[in-house]
Amino acid sequence: MTGAVRRRWRRSRPLTPTARVRRLRRRITLLFALTSAVGLVAMAAWAVRGDDVRWRDQLDRTMSADTNWALGLLETDEGGRLDAGVLLDTAGTACPPLHLLSVPPDAAPEARRIAPADLVVEHAPRGPCLTVDGPAVRRAATAAVNADEERSLDGRTTTGEPVRLFALPFYPPEAEEDSRPQGALVTVADTAAQQADHRRLAWRVTGGCALLVCLSALVGHLLSGRAVRPALEALDRQESFLADAAHDLRTPAASLRTLAETALRGDTDSTDVHRRTLRLAEGMGSLVDGLLTRARLMSGTAVLAVEPLRLDQLVEAVVEDAPTDGHRVTVEAREAVVVADPDLVRRAVANLVGNALVHGHAPGAPAEVEVTVAVDGASTTVTVEDTGPGLPPEVAGALFDRFRSGSRSTGLGLSIASWVAHAHGGSLTAGPGRRGGARFVLRLPSGDRPSAEG
């Protein structure tokens, strides 16, 4: 199979329910992160834009105040010509640089806009601290004269440093209300520090936005995990139920088939076959009822059917019904009363005894199993001990997981017994026995009503 065919086959495979839920979680996380990212990016852009407008407006107000003060020092002689002597003597125009440009009276009619080339430079500082190209100064002055109001624009010095140019139009003395400005004063301010502060703010906002997006993705992942956790748990319970049902029904179903084949061949008495078939059918019905009850309990749709129970009598009945087949099982039971679900506890004890009978002996030798019922303070214990080879170290830590057992079989008996114990607020532990075999201890609380949580 080529790589392209393999990729197409993987894409076309139907996803399992668990995979679909996990994919939904990833999509929820991505949607949460994208929504947060859009909001954070919009807020970051608004903040950066607002800071840019703020520092420019603040600088423009400062430059406007300085230029208006300088405009008050500008005079006009008797012939209407500009006289910048007082301005030059009082203010100094080298730092910040101050340029004076005028509109010649015969430049153009008032209806036509002034071009930068029409303006006449009346004064330019000889040794300015910020040297700006003449065309940039003319553009700022032309914009102010044509708009008949103050104008500002960004520019650069001849060495490439950022500056801000501010142009203020002025009028001749006793000018009419609709007359054109006589010229403009242009001042220049260094903006390197303000732009550096603005860039630092932009980087901080960008970094903070990225950090918040990552944090939002993490929070979204955690929240989506909490949201889909019930679905995953329900799917896990469903898978567990199906596995348990397949395990428990496989053996009686095979026995029924064997009996049916035997009856068809006529090898045995039909009455005996019918009796054994009825017994197997009743056992299968009990198994189905138990599995459905367990599924309802695990899903939380039912509660434990608890009642006062003589645990010693229940254990004796389980041992009496167990298929010993040449093995020996002894019971040492003290009178003990617990509040528990009889069917589930019977199932747990039967699984422990059955596990000891199957795995608790050497090949070809009969099993010797001891079952003890004792009261230990606030709890009652059922101990099942055998003389087999004991518990392999490699499976001791996962002994009560599904599909694991001491013989590496796919049995569920121990996992079901462990679940029953925890459903009643008890525990199931395993360890080495006194005679070299395995020792299982089922502990159930005595007296208090057990919890229905599994």
Side-chain angles (χ1 to χ4, degrees), residues 26-92:
R26 291 193 295 269
R27 290 181 175 179
I28 293 174
T29 301
L30 180 61
L31 180 61
F32 190 86
L34 287 178
T35 303
S36 302
V38 170
L40 289 171
V41 168
M43 291 181 62
W46 176 80
V48 172
R49 174 62 180 169
D51 179 74
D52 183 69
V53 172
R54 179 195 59 77
W55 75 261
R56 293 178 190 277
D57 289 344
Q58 184 177 1
L59 183 60
D60 287 347
R61 286 194 296 269
T62 302
M63 297 174 70
S64 177
D66 294 341
T67 308
N68 275 282
W69 175 79
L71 183 61
L73 302 177
L74 187 63
E75 297 180 348
T76 305
D77 59 15
E78 296 179 355
R81 294 187 298 274
L82 295 175
D83 183 4
V86 176
L87 174 63
L88 299 179
D89 293 340
T90 304

Side-chain angles (χ1 to χ4, degrees), residues 242-395:
L242 293 176
D244 293 350
H247 168 266
D248 288 333
L249 296 177
R250 185 182 295 112
T251 300
S255 300
L256 279 176
R257 178 176 180 177
T258 301
L259 286 174
E261 292 174 350
T262 302
L264 287 176
R265 291 195 303 267
D267 295 340
T268 59
D269 182 26
S270 61
T271 302
D272 181 61
V273 171
H274 293 163
R275 187 184 305 108
R276 293 167 61 187
T277 302
L278 178 61
R279 187 164 55 248
L280 282 173
E282 291 176 349
M284 291 183 67
S286 299
L287 283 176
V288 171
D289 290 340
L291 288 170
L292 293 177
T293 301
R294 177 176 184 262
R296 288 193 296 269
L297 290 171
M298 292 181 67
S299 63
T301 58
V303 295
L304 295 175
V306 295
E307 61 184 49
L309 173 65
R310 282 286 300 273
L311 187 58
D312 55 315
Q313 295 179 354
L314 182 143
V315 170
E316 291 173 350
V318 169
V319 172
E320 184 178 351
D321 295 337
T324 56
D325 295 333
H327 303 298
R328 188 176 66 177
V329 182
T330 59
V331 180
E332 182 181 347
R334 294 181 55 185
E335 181 177 335
V337 178
V338 295
V339 180
D341 189 309
D343 293 334
L344 294 179
V345 174
R346 180 180 293 106
R347 181 178 177 81
V349 174
N351 286 346
L352 294 177
V353 173
N355 180 77
L357 291 174
V358 173
H359 307 295
H361 61 92
E368 295 184 5
V369 181
E370 291 184 359
V371 183
T372 305
V373 180
V375 178
D376 184 11
S379 61
T380 302
T381 60
V382 178
T383 304
V384 180
E385 186 173 351
D386 58 59
T387 58
L391 300 175
E394 63 271 14
V395 301

Side-chain angles (χ1 to χ4, degrees), residues 390-411:
L391 300 175
E394 63 271 14
V395 301
L399 192 61
F400 301 130
D401 295 342
R402 290 189 301 118
F403 309 116
R404 297 297 297 271
S405 71
S407 63
R408 297 182 183 178
S409 67
T410 58

